[in-house]
Amino acid sequence: MNTSTSRTGLTVSADVLAGAAATAARFAPSILNTQPWRWRVHPDQLELFAEPRRHLRVTDPDGRLLILSCGTVLHHACLTLAAQGWAAQVIRTPSMSATAPLAVLHGFEPATVAPVTRQQEQAMRTRHTDRRPVSDQPIAPPVLRAITACAPGAVRLQILTAEQVLELAAAVSRADAMRGQDPLARGELNYWTSRPVTEGIGLPPQVLPDRPAQTTVAGRGFGHAGTLPTGPGHDRSATYALLYGHSDDPTGWLQAGETLSAIWLAATAMNVSVLPLSDVVAVPGTREALRRMLKPFDHPYLALRLGIADPMPGAPPRTPRLPAAHLVEALPPNVSCREERR
Ligand SMILES: Cc1cc2nc3c(=O)[nH]c(=O)nc-3n(C[C@H](O)[C@H](O)[C@H](O)COP(=O)(O)O)c2cc1C
């Protein structure tokens, strides 16, 4: 078993690193469930790469949603290690390169496991995307404040006013119409929403609503109906928010993904459902409309619907995942990182 010695003399094993990478890959959310990441396990570090074979080249040409997705898996891996008593240092060098890592976890040190870490790790195992309308119960202000507090730094969460929600609704339907007119975009969406469950990628019909929900802000149009009963609800009690920050580049997108993960897990622990609305940000024209809701120099990363999950039965099944062997590559123990990079 390979080990890496910390300042305290305690060691993390490569098996623990590989396990954390696999756990993160199993639970992290990603755009259209593309799982656009790859982990490489070294004896003393974990490298995270973007996976170009699962990049949505038509609808996400700059890779913003790909890198956002990689940010969620990075946060999930750090959380998994923290829940096992290991704090990691993270070097972030995000780019769309398939050969240079987006991030490297190293310098593992033993750390006390905080109760909130345990709670978030539990939430990681139950979190899922629910595209059905949320309940009529509004989110209590202290809960909303606790969720907003998960984005205190370079990436922040702005709760939208009633007027801004109407602007968001208009922008979402414009983005949807533009996608609908683009045959290449339709083809890409159709590919990722018609994979058999056994492939472990994309969205199977079981997680897609059987008809559009009665909502002010429409959910993403998938081009065809699924089999998930939508139910009678209306999103009238939902809260809408923008995740935003200063830099519209891979560094900002990776941080946004990490923050999205932190928000989503905290929300899950408080029974709040989170639904990302990403097309409205991926389409340049409507992204600009969202930008006007923010202060000058800020950029939107994602729109989010937040709401108390509807207690009605029929929650969507888990979206499938690729086997860990596809996503986690372990190097033989005698290959050092330096040798391997040559
Ligand atoms: C960056 C990002 C963008 C997403 N955009 C959307 C979206 O626009 N509409 C939607 O219904 N789900 C969206 N999702 C949710 C994913 O489809 C979902 O995470 C994925 O299918 C895995 O399912 P799970 O979250 O249930 O594990 C997004 C997720 C991420 C991380």
Side-chain angles (χ1 to χ4, degrees):
M1 186 185 288
N2 305 309
T3 53
S4 154
T5 306
S6 72
R7 281 200 307 271
T8 56
L10 290 167
T11 55
V12 66
S13 72
D15 290 350
V16 166
L17 298 182
T23 302
R26 178 168 166 217
F27 292 112
S30 60
I31 177 66
L32 293 182
N33 197 30
T34 48
Q35 303 158 66
W37 45 65
R38 189 164 46 85
W39 289 103
R40 189 175 291 171
V41 185
H42 295 270
D44 54 359
Q45 60 183 38
L46 255 184
E47 290 178 322
L48 172 65
F49 294 85
E51 175 49 73
R53 283 175 298 181
R54 292 190 293 281
H55 174 203
L56 304 171
R57 289 176 196 281
V58 178
T59 47
D60 182 30
D62 303 332
R64 68 182 60 233
L65 298 177
L66 179 149
I67 293 181
L68 257 151
S69 301
C70 289
T72 73
V73 85
L74 174 60
H75 181 262
H76 273 49
C78 291
L79 175 63
T80 303
L81 286 166
Q84 292 176 34
W86 291 105
Q89 289 178 39
V90 184
I91 302 170
R92 296 169 180 81
T93 47
S95 74
M96 282 300 288
S97 162
T99 50
L102 289 172
V104 180
L105 276 65
H106 70 112
F108 303 97
E109 292 288 338
T112 310
V113 183
V116 65
T117 302
R118 288 191 206 288
Q119 196 185 41
Q120 288 210 344
E121 204 262 350
Q122 280 304 310
M124 181 182 81
R125 292 169 186 279
T126 55
R127 183 215 58 80
H128 63 280
T129 305
D130 191 342
R131 300 175 179 86
R132 299 173 303 162
V134 292
S135 79
D136 283 341
Q137 186 190 342
I139 303 175
V143 172
L144 205 50
R145 278 198 294 277
I147 292 172
T148 311
C150 296
V155 178
R156 303 180 81 90
L157 195 65
Q158 174 169 314
I159 305 298
L160 301 187
T161 62
E163 198 178 319
Q164 288 172 330
V165 171
L166 296 179
E167 286 174 43
L168 172 67
V172 164
S173 67
R174 245 186 3 261
D176 200 46
M178 285 167 79
R179 289 296 198 216
Q181 286 161 11
D182 178 348
L184 289 178
R186 283 205 313 268
E188 190 174 69
L189 181 65
N190 189 49
Y191 176 85
W192 286 98
T193 55
S194 54
R195 315 307 322 140
V197 173
T198 48
E199 277 191 18
I201 49 169
L203 300 180
Q206 292 88 333
V207 299
L208 300 180
D210 60 357
R211 63 189 160 80
Q214 307 273 305
T215 59
T216 308
V217 182
R220 190 188 190 113
F222 291 101
H224 57 89
T227 57
L228 178 71
T230 304
H234 188 293
D235 276 338
R236 63 176 67 83
S237 297
T239 296
Y240 291 88
L242 289 184
L243 195 65
Y244 71 95
H246 289 321
S247 57
D248 193 23
D249 58 20
T251 301
W253 305 334
L254 191 72
Q255 277 182 316
E258 292 177 74
T259 309
L260 170 67
S261 172
I263 287 173
W264 207 335
L265 297 181
T268 302
M270 293 184 281
N271 194 34
V272 172
S273 146
V274 174
L275 178 63
L277 302 167
S278 52
D279 238 6
V280 66
V281 181
V283 171
T286 50
R287 181 166 70 244
E288 207 40 49
L290 299 193
R291 198 176 165 194
R292 287 195 287 273
M293 297 184 200
L294 301 170
K295 293 202 193 83
F297 309 116
D298 282 334
H299 299 270
Y301 298 129
L302 218 47
L304 299 177
R305 181 198 72 178
L306 306 168
I308 303 293
D310 198 316
M312 75 174 178
R318 297 212 74 119
T319 308
R321 293 293 195 270
L322 285 166
H326 279 59
L327 306 166
V328 183
E329 178 192 330
L331 287 179
N334 54 350
V335 179
S336 84
C337 311
R338 211 166 293 127
E339 282 166 353
E340 202 276 327
R341 282 222 184 95
R342 260 187 229 136

